Amino acid sequence: MSTKIKLGIKTMRKRLLAILFGGCVCCNLYGCTSRNWFEGIKGMQKQDCYKLESSSARQSCLGSVEEQNYDRYQADRETIIRDR
């Protein structure tokens, strides 16, 4: 995997964590679960992957989205909160 793709994946993961953290705060106010928000954001990311023209870039993007799972996100989120 090229360095550019690795950096893109890291940036995407950080962005996802920030969005989901903000979403979790809102969800708790409105009764949604953070898992629902996570899956919604993941679905939007998949849609963005399908917009890529290059088949290899599209497959790489979809692969990185599929690697993300809620339990890993939750563990990362708890680490961020704990380390503040």
Side-chain angles (χ1 to χ4, degrees), residues 57-70:
R58 185 171 39 256
Q59 291 305 315
S60 176
C61 180
L62 287 169
S64 68
V65 170
E66 287 303 319
E67 285 178 359
Q68 302 167 8
N69 67 55
Y70 180 78

Side-chain angles (χ1 to χ4, degrees), residues 20-50:
L20 289 176
F21 180 73
C24 287
V25 171
C26 293
C27 269
N28 287 330
L29 296 174
Y30 297 108
C32 298
T33 66
S34 57
R35 186 177 297 270
N36 290 351
W37 273 89
F38 179 87
E39 294 301 330
I41 298 293
K42 193 173 173 180
M44 291 188 321
Q45 287 179 325
K46 283 183 183 179
Q47 289 175 357
D48 289 341
C49 292
Y50 285 115

